[in-house]
Amino acid sequence: MASLHQPTTMRLPQPLPLDGGEALHDVDIAYETYGELAADRSNAILVCHALTGDQYLASTHPVTGKPGWWERMVGPGKPIDTDRFHVICANVIGSCLGSTGPASLAPDGQPYGMRFPVITIRDMVRGLVGLLDAMDIARLHAVVGGSMGGMQALSLAANFPDRAARVLAIATTARHSAQNIAFHEVGRQAIMADPAWRGGAYYGHDDAPGAGLAVARMAAHITYLSEEGLTEKFGRRLQDRDAPGFGFDADFQVESYLRYQGSGFTRRFDANSYLYITRAMDYLDLAQEHGGSLAEAFRASDARFCLVSFDTDWLYPTEDSRHVVHALNAVAKPVSFVELSAPFGHDSFLLDVPALDRVVKGFIHG
């Protein structure tokens, strides 16, 4: 099949019920597709993005001009082969890249801001399932995701057990730990302490809470890396100088790197979306959603599962994946699990780890 790439937005025909008790009306889901959908609709793969990701999976990002965030994994002849599969990647609700979120217009014609309802990972998955329904795709060949994308993949398996034949969850967890929540709270407080935040009502003003969002991104980015990787990449090397400046400019290369990450992020992401999406991740607890038993969460699923972790990932360490694997074993679900060695920390799923390519290809094509 030829590899096709089509950006588009779908308006869901029905209101979207939310875990918080409200419903969102006139929900838009922005998504991109790659590869042709088979006549029997059997070759669709849904790839779910992480916290700061978007639908630009394997196509140039319209804001940054950078390649798609998983272009090394998705495309003709690649592990997720668009010559064989119809690959879908959608922007989650609550985000700011085309799907309905805090920056979208409410029924009164003004941006939602903090009037946007608090959402959960399961709510995001409801939006994705609504998109699949609108596309007349009853069952996926696979659902795939890393980090928050892996949370969505597991949530889909737990809450819509007949919608995917394969579930591939990479560098992820079934519940957020106290440490995860703590790091997110630091980021949220940085945003809300920015005077430009204005209680979330900054749309239409000349300034946005970019300083607070940049600090939030910097704090989060540290958790995506490993000490080994930071030491190898930066060590204690100085930035463009031979001696300390004895001030508060970016003396060290690692400081300059984090500032660059923070400032670049503010150009493509909305501060309120960051608040809402991190809160959704913090609320994740698949066991709690299913009577306190993670095993029960997966009992109804007939999918094959594959869990992948990385030995340097301290954000979602290997024990988090093993917890899911044990739950799947308890209800006799077919599951494979591998811990891969990589120096990049949590971000390893996005970077050049050939062993991951082999796992993804083997599971998707097997």
Side-chain angles (χ1 to χ4, degrees):
M1 302 178 196
S3 181
L4 303 178
H5 158 235
Q6 298 176 327
T8 190
T9 301
M10 181 76 73
R11 171 67 57 88
L12 299 186
Q14 303 295 330
L16 190 68
L18 304 175
D19 281 344
E22 298 182 54
L24 274 177
H25 295 259
D26 298 325
V27 173
D28 288 327
I29 304 290
Y31 68 100
E32 300 227 324
T33 63
Y34 309 83
E36 292 183 2
L37 183 61
D40 63 0
R41 294 177 133 63
S42 64
N43 69 332
I45 294 177
L46 177 66
V47 177
C48 303
H49 69 74
L51 163 60
T52 61
D54 47 52
Q55 67 271 37
Y56 300 105
L57 173 71
S59 49
T60 302
H61 196 286
V63 177
T64 66
K66 293 181 178 180
W69 59 266
W70 230 15
E71 198 167 81
R72 57 174 299 278
M73 190 68 72
V74 178
K78 295 182 180 180
I80 302 179
D81 189 351
T82 52
D83 285 338
R84 272 190 67 177
F85 299 108
H86 180 69
V87 181
I88 306 158
C89 187
N91 193 219
V92 298
I93 61 166
S95 190
C96 52
L97 271 295
S99 293
T100 299
S104 303
L105 297 183
D108 64 1
Q110 298 299 313
Y112 276 105
M114 297 305 286
R115 297 179 299 159
F116 193 75
V118 171
I119 56 173
T120 66
I121 296 294
R122 181 160 56 181
D123 292 334
M124 295 175 182
V125 172
R126 288 191 182 104
L128 297 175
V129 170
L131 173 64
L132 295 176
D133 287 344
M135 298 172 75
D136 195 26
I137 296 173
R139 185 169 171 85
L140 294 162
H141 176 82
V143 58
V144 181
S147 193
M148 189 185 85
M151 299 176 193
Q152 294 167 69
L154 294 174
S155 180
L156 187 141
N159 295 293
F160 301 90
D162 60 342
R163 298 303 293 255
R166 293 168 179 80
V167 178
L168 175 54
I170 307 168
T172 194
T173 185
R175 65 176 180 184
H176 244 205
S177 68
Q179 178 177 265
N180 299 146
I181 297 168
F183 275 111
H184 276 173
E185 179 61 5
V186 170
R188 288 190 292 262
Q189 289 298 321
I191 290 169
M192 292 188 285
D194 189 323
W197 183 58
R198 297 183 175 88
Y202 53 84
Y203 305 111
H205 290 268
D206 291 336
D207 56 341
L213 181 59
V215 172
R217 172 63 170 175
M218 290 167 68
H221 198 72
I222 295 169
T223 72
Y224 304 153
L225 307 173
S226 68
E227 182 178 4
E228 175 189 349
L230 279 172
T231 300
E232 181 179 338
K233 190 169 185 176
F234 303 110
R236 290 180 50 81
R237 291 188 290 277
L238 299 176
Q239 177 73 22
D240 299 329
R241 62 190 70 198
D242 298 322
F246 293 98
F248 294 96
D249 289 336
D251 268 10
F252 294 97
Q253 288 181 6
V254 69
E255 294 174 318
S256 179
Y257 170 74
L258 288 175
R259 293 185 186 190
Y260 171 79
Q261 289 291 328
S263 64
F265 184 59
T266 62
R267 292 196 293 271
R268 68 176 179 87
F269 215 81
D270 178 60
N272 283 342
S273 283
Y274 195 88
L275 299 179
Y276 277 89
I277 297 174
T278 57
R279 179 49 98 198
M281 296 172 73
D282 291 347
Y283 279 144
L284 178 72
D285 188 339
L286 285 179
Q288 186 181 55
E289 292 176 10
H290 295 83
S293 169
L294 186 57
E296 286 302 316
F298 299 117
R299 185 177 292 278
S301 175
D302 63 355
R304 291 170 49 204
F305 290 80
C306 180
L307 277 290
V308 180
S309 69
F310 297 97
D311 59 356
T312 54
D313 184 352
W314 57 274
L315 183 63
Y316 303 128
T318 291
E319 64 193 59
D320 287 4
S321 291
R322 283 207 178 100
H323 184 57
V324 177
V325 172
H326 291 158
L328 289 163
N329 285 334
V331 285
K333 301 302 173 186
V335 55
S336 54
F337 165 65
V338 61
E339 180 190 53
L340 299 178
S341 182
F344 311 118
H346 179 64
D347 266 356
S348 295
F349 78 98
L350 296 171
L351 301 174
D352 184 18
V353 181
L356 177 63
D357 297 13
R358 293 192 291 271
V359 171
V360 171
K361 183 176 182 178
F363 184 70
I364 293 297
H365 290 255

